[in-house]
Amino acid sequence: MVAVTLLGAWLGLLIVGSVHKPVGPMDTTMTLRPSLTGGTKINVAPLGALELDTHHGPLRLDVDVTRLDPDRAGYLVENPERFGELQDMVAADVESGTRDLALRSFVAVVAGATALGLAVYRRPRRALLAGGMALAVLAASGAAAATTWNPKAVLEPRFSGLLAGAPSLVGDARRIVTDFDVYQQELARLVTNMSKLYNAASTLPTYQPDPDTTRVLHVSDIHLNPAAWRIIESLVEQYDIDVIIDTGDTMDHGTAAENPFLDPASDLGAPFVWVRGNHDSRTTQEYLEDMENVHVLDDGEPLEIAGLRIAGMGDPHFTPDRRVQIEDESEQVVAGRRLAAALRTSKVLGKPVDIAAGHNPTLVEQVDGEVPLALAGHAHNRKQRVLDKGTLMMIEGSTGGGGLRAVEQDVPEKVSASVLYLDEETKRLQAWDAITLGGLGLTTAEVGRHLPP
């Protein structure tokens, strides 16, 4: 009977035990969930969550912030004098939501336990007994929460996800109280910007990739940063990547001692296609050529992977010493022309190349008109440019955040990668997502979807 009561009450909460309530300018969903420790969890997707030790008991309050309502936010912006009433308004909304949630939970647990009791025992008296026990459990849980209620818990939240950086960015609640005037101004500016964002988003061109779309992850300039492998592996899983293309400078000095750093490349969840950069040596290239699930591009020899024909040319320069600067780009031009010639040969043979790859943009510029899409790196600065004869050249930033050199700068270099969506039949670029993460010690993330010109 106890098992039936608890299971029925839990199912009731799960199915109908939640309420949708506006709290200030936000839309939220409030739910009670079984828990061993109690407390309150506020989920702010996709940023993360914060947990508050508001009470102890067998029930936890989950609050999901579903969206910012642009109309209510806009009203606050147009009437800044209303910000003084925001605290009272939020408190009233939360109180109203809690009452509604308590009533909904009462109906949910009683109905769930009674229905399951009737289904198990086939006797109305036993079913009503289960419903009564569920009500008693809910009342006891509420009494425990009221007895252990801790209003100061809001001052000591625990952050997770991207919100883990929130205390260092905005300060704790005590500081917000002491600097409330400044906070109020910043809040008004934030609400204004969010309202503009919602209005702009409604007019943006949208692209929804088909499940059969070929997805390419473009990375570059890892520079011995081991964190890059975890980032790549995560992106491969999240975006269901078909092939990874690395446009070089995976290493820093190209020595044999660095080679074990490359071992994760064979087990990233997708084929790893690589082209040599100026910090990668022939020793680096030979080591990668012997690895499973890794494909090395050089001399314009095309490879067919994930339904795409890809060709590339290794960087003609090897400059592991950063103090050595090569001003003459003539070798890059010659290498690029060799790659262009190989692309023309493939086209004549009826096997045109879909993507050309090289490390230095000067090299890649030479394939203009021979291929629809060309990928490069080297600059540590993401750019896209349509070349004179129609080839789209995409230069990726540093997926390693500049590697070990990141510690030499006052501001850490950002980590970047791009997900390219190509039509499965035409092999043409349909859209791409530019992914930018905060560098060393930072916890920020930006994703922007772009359509080709």
Side-chain angles (χ1 to χ4, degrees):
M1 174 61 73
V2 171
V4 168
T5 298
L6 295 178
L7 180 60
W10 178 76
L11 290 174
L13 283 176
L14 192 65
I15 297 172
V16 296
S18 61
V19 295
H20 304 283
K21 294 290 290 186
V23 176
M26 299 173 293
D27 289 337
T28 68
T29 299
M30 299 181 181
T31 313
L32 286 179
R33 289 284 181 256
S35 170
L36 295 177
T37 58
T40 299
K41 184 175 183 180
I42 302 174
N43 300 299
V44 188
L47 301 178
L50 57 94
E51 298 181 18
L52 310 174
D53 290 327
T54 52
H55 64 277
H56 298 288
L59 289 177
R60 183 186 74 203
L61 174 62
D62 283 2
V63 180
D64 295 324
V65 178
T66 54
R67 74 180 189 117
L68 178 72
D69 187 283
D71 294 331
R72 295 199 300 273
Y75 175 74
L76 286 172
V77 173
E78 294 169 2
N79 301 275
E81 69 278 1
R82 303 289 292 183
F83 271 97
E85 305 172 14
L86 183 60
Q87 182 176 352
D88 293 336
M89 180 171 61
V90 169
D93 290 340
V94 171
E95 184 178 352
S96 172
T98 304
R99 285 198 304 267
D100 292 351
L101 180 61
L103 180 60
R104 177 69 68 91
S105 299
F106 162 76
V107 174
V109 299
V110 173
T114 302
L116 187 60
L118 188 61
V120 172
Y121 297 111
R122 307 286 181 176
R123 292 164 57 189
R125 182 174 298 179
R126 299 281 284 177
L128 291 174
L129 177 59
M133 290 176 61
L135 180 59
V137 170
L138 180 64
S141 300
T147 303
T148 59
W149 177 252
N150 176 22
K152 296 181 180 179
V154 71
L155 299 177
E156 300 174 345
R158 296 189 303 275
F159 297 90
S160 61
L162 295 178
L163 289 178
S168 61
L169 294 175
V170 303
D172 60 18
R174 295 180 184 87
R175 181 177 175 184
I176 290 177
V177 171
T178 57
D179 298 336
F180 187 76
D181 289 340
V182 176
Y183 171 67
Q184 181 170 293
Q185 296 172 12
E186 293 301 319
L187 181 62
R189 188 176 295 113
L190 171 64
V191 173
T192 302
N193 292 339
M194 288 298 292
S195 298
K196 291 179 180 178
L197 175 62
Y198 272 95
N199 291 333
S202 64
T203 61
L204 289 176
T206 58
Y207 168 77
Q208 296 298 326
D210 187 272
D212 295 330
T213 299
T214 303
R215 299 162 189 242
V216 177
L217 177 62
H218 182 199
V219 301
S220 192
D221 295 86
I222 292 175
H223 286 292
L224 284 182
N225 186 347
W229 297 126
R230 288 290 185 90
I231 293 170
I232 293 172
E233 192 174 18
S234 176
L235 292 173
V236 167
E237 181 179 356
Q238 292 180 49
Y239 283 85
D240 196 19
I241 297 297
D242 296 298
V243 59
I244 306 161
I245 300 180
D246 183 346
T247 47
D249 271 7
T250 312
M251 310 297 251
D252 236 1
H253 300 91
T255 62
E258 294 172 304
N259 284 345
F261 170 78
L262 299 166
D263 290 345
S266 64
D267 191 25
L268 295 172
F272 185 76
V273 178
W274 180 86
V275 65
R276 191 177 68 251
N278 61 291
H279 282 268
D280 307 313
S281 65
R282 294 283 180 175
T283 301
T284 304
Q285 181 163 318
E286 291 169 2
Y287 189 83
L288 283 166
E289 287 173 339
D290 292 335
M291 294 175 63
E292 294 184 3
N293 208 36
V294 174
H295 309 270
V296 173
L297 301 174
D298 203 2
D299 298 322
E301 186 69 27
L303 300 174
E304 189 159 340
I305 304 168
L308 298 171
R309 194 168 285 109
I310 310 169
M313 181 71 67
D315 197 297
H317 296 148
F318 177 48
T319 56
D321 190 338
R322 298 188 189 122
R323 293 172 296 180
V324 177
Q325 300 293 329
I326 298 178
E327 302 295 339
D328 185 7
E329 296 282 273
S330 60
E331 288 188 69
Q332 299 286 352
V333 173
V334 171
R337 289 174 178 173
R338 286 176 50 208
L339 176 58
L343 297 177
R344 283 193 293 272
T345 300
S346 296
K347 191 181 298 184
V348 170
L349 295 176
K351 296 181 178 181
V353 171
D354 304 307
I355 301 176
H359 180 65
N360 194 305
T362 301
L363 185 157
V364 173
E365 286 174 352
Q366 311 310 311
V367 304
D368 186 17
E370 306 298 340
V371 68
L373 178 62
L375 306 181
H378 187 62
H380 292 210
N381 185 18
R382 180 192 284 131
K383 291 182 180 178
Q384 300 83 34
R385 181 159 61 94
V386 178
L387 302 177
D388 294 340
K389 297 180 182 178
T391 294
L392 175 60
M393 182 174 70
M394 304 187 73
I395 304 172
E396 191 53 73
S398 174
T399 309
L404 298 178
R405 71 187 71 180
V407 300
E408 301 172 357
Q409 305 177 30
D410 294 334
V411 179
E413 188 171 327
K414 292 183 178 180
V415 174
S416 68
S418 297
V419 177
L420 316 181
Y421 301 97
L422 282 79
D423 186 273
E424 189 178 32
E425 295 184 4
T426 66
K427 317 300 182 186
R428 293 302 180 102
L429 182 70
Q430 303 298 305
W432 75 88
D433 288 345
I435 300 165
T436 307
L437 308 177
L440 186 68
L442 301 180
T443 52
T444 60
E446 301 171 6
V447 181
R449 176 154 295 176
H450 305 272
L451 302 180

